[in-house]
Amino acid sequence: MKITLSLLIFFLLVTKSYQKNQWDGFGLALIWPPGYCASLGTRCVVSKVKSDFTIHGLWPFVNSGATLGPEQNSKPYQPIPKNSPLFNPLTANWPSIEVNKPDDGFWAHEWNNHGRASFTLFNQTQYFAKALNLLHRNNIARVLQNGGIARGHQYNDTQILKAIRRALNVDVKIQCTAKYLVEVRICFDQAAKAMINCNTKGIRGYCPKSFTFK
């Protein structure tokens, strides 16, 4: 009986620990709006395009690439009031530039499909605040400029990745669509604090041999 009880306690402790650490890290996906707009064509809201990286999402990931579901105690997205301290920063730094896809719908998608999986670490407010904080800590537009990457020119993935690694000292992933650079994806540890190499199947990226930094 004692052995059975000990095993049960051990199992419960391990299960609880696993639930709190079901992800291996976080990926901060940053959109390059000029490139993304070019890939969208007529579906782009040009008036909302800015010449700086904006947020796509903060994605908890597992190294195997498996999909994470919502944490059982998490709640679906709650609309962010206009008088919330988060509203204006999110509108400026996490906009949807696609026709008929409002900002609030974009935020809801990211929380429901990614944020809720990390609910044991972040509630909804903390999730959005953390993504904004990580964006402002990593000025990728300046990193590329300082690395000799100029807008309107063609590059290969090695040139972009090396320029970012020289500044951040980590490997990142990049994503292209229709031969334009559209995203840079930076990986962080389980606490979403320290940058780590994106050597994982949990955060993917692909670009052709030659693409344009719009």
Side-chain angles (χ1 to χ4, degrees):
M1 181 66 180
K2 289 183 179 180
I3 295 177
T4 303
L5 181 60
S6 297
L7 288 173
L8 176 61
I9 293 172
F10 175 77
F11 174 76
L12 290 173
L13 288 173
V14 170
T15 302
K16 185 177 181 182
S17 175
Y18 173 76
Q19 289 174 341
K20 286 189 175 182
N21 298 282
Q22 61 176 326
W23 59 87
D24 294 311
F26 286 84
L28 178 67
L30 302 178
I31 293 173
W32 178 243
Y36 185 49
C37 183
S39 73
L40 288 173
T42 58
R43 293 182 292 118
C44 176
V45 183
V46 178
S47 62
K48 295 178 70 175
V49 174
K50 59 190 293 186
S51 297
D52 202 355
F53 281 89
T54 59
I55 301 170
H56 181 169
L58 182 61
W59 305 335
F61 66 82
V62 291
N63 288 328
S64 68
T67 301
L68 290 171
E71 201 276 335
Q72 61 181 356
N73 294 319
S74 66
K75 296 180 180 179
Y77 175 78
Q78 301 297 307
I80 298 172
K82 289 186 177 181
N83 62 356
S84 166
L86 277 176
F87 187 82
N88 287 335
L90 286 175
T91 300
N93 298 287
W94 201 325
S96 169
I97 62 171
E98 194 167 349
V99 171
N100 297 325
K101 292 191 175 181
D103 295 346
D104 193 64
F106 189 16
W107 306 336
H109 174 85
E110 291 303 311
W111 168 252
N112 289 331
N113 288 276
H114 300 285
R116 290 180 64 189
S118 60
F119 183 71
T120 53
L121 183 62
F122 301 127
N123 62 31
Q124 180 180 298
T125 297
Q126 292 168 331
Y127 171 78
F128 287 114
K130 170 56 75 170
L132 289 167
N133 174 263
L134 294 177
L135 169 71
H136 294 312
R137 278 172 45 191
N138 300 281
N139 190 329
I140 301 302
R142 183 179 300 167
V143 165
L144 292 176
Q145 182 180 25
N146 292 344
I149 306 298
R151 293 183 59 184
H153 292 262
Q154 288 194 326
Y155 296 96
N156 59 48
D157 58 356
T158 300
Q159 291 170 295
I160 302 293
L161 294 172
K162 280 187 175 180
I164 296 175
R165 179 165 182 77
R166 280 197 298 268
L168 303 185
N169 200 34
V170 291
D171 294 321
V172 303
K173 297 285 179 72
I174 58 176
Q175 180 66 34
C176 294
T177 303
K179 294 189 176 181
Y180 293 104
L181 177 68
V182 297
E183 285 194 10
V184 171
R185 298 167 179 174
I186 309 170
C187 292
F188 293 84
D189 63 10
Q190 285 184 315
K193 292 182 178 180
M195 283 186 287
I196 60 175
N197 290 322
C198 278
N199 298 331
T200 173
K201 294 180 180 178
I203 299 295
R204 300 178 184 273
Y206 168 77
C207 281
K209 291 182 179 180
S210 179
F211 55 87
T212 300
F213 180 45
K214 181 82 171 155

